[in-house]
Amino acid sequence: MTSLPVTAHRPIGKWLPEQRPAIQDWIASKLQETKRKNFASLDPNPKIVAFQKLVNDNPYFKTLANDMFTQSSKHYDPTGEPALKTFGQFIDVLSLIIQSAPPFFDKQDPPTAMGMIGFPINAVLDWPMGTVAGYEFWLLPEVNASFKGVLDSWGSFLESSGSQSGLEGWLSKDALHMLATVANTGDLGGPTFDEIFICNPTEKYYGYKSWDDFFTREFRD
């Protein structure tokens, strides 16, 4: 069996690129976005504020939260240069993620190189949550209960009209063709996307009211 190079990674389900550097580049780009945005002027997400406060107010939680990024960079992450090095940076990127919908493709250099990041939070925690500290941290009931609030908040955003802009890539010609091909079980000459699913191609976003609406679309009879 052919082995992957040390920087390779095989995420389950193919919702993340197999090559770890591609994930690192994506995370680094998100971290740069947080630096360009003036977070001080934005209304903070109350669920993230509560999660961050829970961690920072408990010395044990705070130590584990920071150690999982330190341990990842020193002992786990095969690139040796993780994009995120602190819990604070994770919070900043998390704040950005839950204000957006997972895009169809994230293009990198060169422009033809694409890596799909279907589960952004998984990408960010891919290695940190597998460290000794990360394992202990994410087993804590209080941490999970608070983080569920963050995920629920993101879920509410994906159900809202604010997430519609995230559909632009998913409604591109290439994406619709790929989705139709999958629905046709690989038949390239089968029905088109709008012939398979209930939608209105004449309307903006094909009539889908949100990112969630698109991903819970119904088949035509």
Side-chain angles (χ1 to χ4, degrees):
M1 181 175 66
T2 303
S3 61
L4 290 171
V6 69
T7 54
H9 186 46
R10 282 195 180 95
I12 296 174
K14 296 185 178 180
W15 289 100
L16 295 176
E18 288 189 353
Q19 296 298 319
R20 179 62 190 172
I23 301 176
Q24 290 289 60
D25 290 345
W26 179 85
I27 297 173
S29 71
K30 293 303 174 187
L31 184 59
Q32 286 302 313
E33 283 186 49
T34 68
K35 293 177 180 178
R36 289 195 295 268
K37 291 179 179 289
N38 185 0
F39 278 91
S41 66
L42 298 177
D43 292 331
N45 182 283
K47 298 299 183 180
I48 287 188
V49 171
F51 176 64
Q52 187 175 25
K53 186 176 188 305
L54 170 75
V55 173
N56 287 337
D57 286 355
N58 186 306
Y60 178 60
F61 293 179
K62 186 176 182 179
T63 297
L64 289 178
N66 279 298
D67 281 357
M68 66 177 165
F69 291 99
T70 302
Q71 291 175 5
S72 174
S73 63
K74 289 184 177 180
H75 307 294
Y76 290 80
D77 194 316
T79 66
E81 286 294 332
L84 302 184
K85 296 180 172 62
T86 68
F87 178 70
Q89 290 179 334
F90 165 64
I91 290 295
D92 285 346
V93 171
L94 182 64
S95 298
L96 182 65
I97 288 174
I98 69 168
Q99 296 180 59
S100 58
F104 176 62
F105 278 130
D106 264 348
K107 295 186 178 182
Q108 305 166 29
D109 292 328
T112 54
M114 298 181 183
M116 186 175 181
I117 306 291
F119 294 125
I121 296 177
N122 287 41
V124 174
L125 292 173
D126 191 27
W127 284 102
M129 68 181 177
T131 63
V132 172
Y135 181 77
E136 291 186 40
F137 181 77
W138 293 108
L139 280 180
L140 294 167
E142 302 96 324
V143 168
N144 278 276
S146 182
F147 197 67
K148 181 180 182 299
V150 175
L151 297 178
D152 287 344
S153 178
W154 190 31
S156 295
F157 170 79
L158 295 177
E159 292 176 343
S160 73
S161 59
S163 66
Q164 282 181 307
S165 60
L167 292 177
E168 292 178 0
W170 291 100
L171 294 172
S172 66
K173 181 179 178 180
D174 288 344
L176 293 178
H177 175 71
M178 291 175 66
L179 291 170
T181 300
V182 172
N184 290 319
T185 62
D187 182 4
L188 297 177
T192 61
F193 179 91
D194 54 286
E195 291 172 334
I196 299 171
F197 300 104
I198 297 175
C199 61
N200 187 346
T202 64
E203 293 185 15
K204 191 172 184 179
Y205 303 117
Y206 274 51
Y208 294 112
K209 306 304 181 185
S210 67
W211 191 89
D212 185 75
D213 189 30
F214 174 76
F215 279 94
T216 56
R217 60 189 179 274
E218 297 181 355
F219 287 93
R220 295 189 185 277
D221 293 333

